[in-house]
Amino acid sequence: MKYALVTGGSRGIGRAVCIKLSQMGYHILVNYKANKAEAQRTLEMIEQQNGHATLLPFDVSRQEEVESVLSEWMGNNKEAYIEVLINNAGIRKDNLLVFMENEHWFDVINTNLHSFYYITRWLIKKMLLKKYGRIVNIVSLSGIKGLPGQVNYAAAKAGVIAATKSLAQEVGKKNVTVNAVAPGFIKTEMTKDMNEDELKRLIPLNRFGNIEEVAAVAGFLASPEASYVTGEVISVNGGLYT
Ligand code: NDP
């Protein structure tokens, strides 16, 4: 059985990625932070399609928790190796920098950027040993062009983009690819406070995107077919100029 870990798989884009990777034959490790009911729902959706999944809750922003859960899982599954990692879990806490509080800055950086380091460093060793791996980081339009009110979030996502490009160059020789997907406005809990009617006028395709449209690109980058694509950032944003 091939394993894929999707962080933030309980809802939104992460859930759609879990389902996509399950359809590709992976046993999905569905990570989430607190929302067990929604994570359970993702698991049921996978099982309804005859897929396999395990819930693996941990807070991606807490290094000790990440490492203890992953090492325990690996200890209990010595033969298994996680060949696909989707770093998807993320939060936004928007505020103009002038009003930003430490909590807004550190929570967003810890969850969106430090998580990449904690989890990827832990899983990449086995990918290098096995000479195969796929890492896909879900970043954002904000990390490419910057957005007012998102200095914290844009900095975190831009950090992950730079890390994607650097790591791709470190591990390419071992047949491990590292790419990023940069969504624009996608209909999830994260964007439910945004005015689609107003914002869609900025988007050439004239609408917010769906979670499946992001999962399709993440699924491709996680697939064997994407074997000659690495260090890339693919935008899924309806044509918003970046
Ligand atoms: P949602 O708010 O719908 O879901 C967030 C997911 O991340 C949930 O599964 C949540 O788990 C999980 N999560 C949050 N914090 C943690 C944590 N500390 N540890 C573990 N899991 C955590 O978000 P989206 O689906 O919209 O976003 C997914 C990714 O896509 C994020 O990285 C986001 O920045 C990015 N993105 C989204 C865009 C959009 O328009 N929606 C645009 C650009 C990028 P739980 O259910 O337990 O809370």
Side-chain angles (χ1 to χ4, degrees):
M1 183 56 84
K2 304 182 294 178
Y3 287 87
L5 170 62
V6 181
T7 67
S10 50
R11 295 183 276 127
I13 292 168
R15 169 181 280 165
V17 173
C18 286
I19 291 167
K20 180 78 193 167
L21 294 177
S22 166
Q23 290 163 352
M24 290 162 57
Y26 284 98
H27 182 120
I28 312 298
L29 302 176
V30 182
N31 161 259
Y32 64 100
K33 182 181 172 186
N35 206 331
K36 190 170 182 194
E38 290 298 314
Q40 190 65 36
R41 177 85 190 107
T42 300
L43 185 126
E44 283 163 17
M45 290 167 87
I46 290 169
E47 289 178 345
Q48 273 161 16
Q49 302 188 353
N50 299 319
H52 302 277
T54 307
L55 300 185
L56 203 61
F58 57 84
D59 182 339
V60 297
S61 70
R62 299 171 74 94
Q63 184 168 19
E64 277 179 19
E65 203 174 312
V66 170
E67 294 185 354
S68 76
V69 172
L70 288 179
S71 69
E72 190 187 341
W73 186 85
M74 286 171 174
N76 292 336
N77 297 274
K78 289 210 171 59
E79 297 305 309
Y81 102 94
I82 299 170
E83 66 172 47
V84 171
L85 166 62
I86 313 288
N87 285 308
N88 164 78
I91 55 167
R92 47 177 271 253
K93 291 193 176 179
D94 297 356
N95 212 339
L96 298 175
L97 186 74
V98 68
F99 302 122
M100 194 167 284
E101 292 170 17
N102 278 348
E103 181 217 328
H104 297 141
W105 178 265
F106 288 107
D107 284 357
V108 168
I109 299 288
N110 289 340
T111 304
N112 295 291
L113 176 60
H114 290 162
S115 60
F116 162 85
Y117 167 68
Y118 301 149
I119 300 166
T120 310
R121 193 181 60 136
W122 202 256
L123 295 189
I124 203 159
K125 288 177 196 137
K126 224 164 183 179
M127 293 182 186
L128 296 174
L129 281 173
K130 297 276 185 184
K131 296 196 173 59
Y132 185 87
R134 294 278 184 267
I135 298 168
V136 180
N137 301 314
I138 309 298
V139 292
S140 171
L141 169 78
S142 189
I144 299 174
K145 78 184 285 272
L147 285 175
Q150 294 198 329
V151 170
N152 50 357
Y153 182 79
K157 295 298 191 183
V160 175
I161 289 172
T164 300
K165 293 176 180 179
S166 301
L167 183 61
Q169 293 173 57
E170 288 185 9
V171 299
K173 277 193 186 125
K174 298 287 187 188
N175 202 26
V176 176
T177 66
V178 191
N179 290 290
V181 178
F185 295 104
I186 308 298
K187 274 184 247 181
T188 69
E189 297 259 316
M190 190 179 267
T191 50
K192 72 172 192 288
D193 60 339
M194 294 181 177
N195 187 338
E196 181 174 356
D197 282 340
E198 216 167 84
L199 287 166
K200 75 179 185 188
R201 284 187 234 137
L202 306 169
I203 305 169
L205 287 179
N206 202 36
R207 62 175 175 86
F208 279 15
N210 297 317
I211 53 177
E212 291 80 11
E213 292 171 317
V214 181
V217 177
F220 166 68
L221 291 171
S223 74
E225 282 82 3
S227 46
Y228 205 53
V229 182
T230 196
E232 277 301 316
V233 183
I234 301 185
S235 289
V236 182
N237 63 20
L240 260 178
Y241 181 67
T242 51

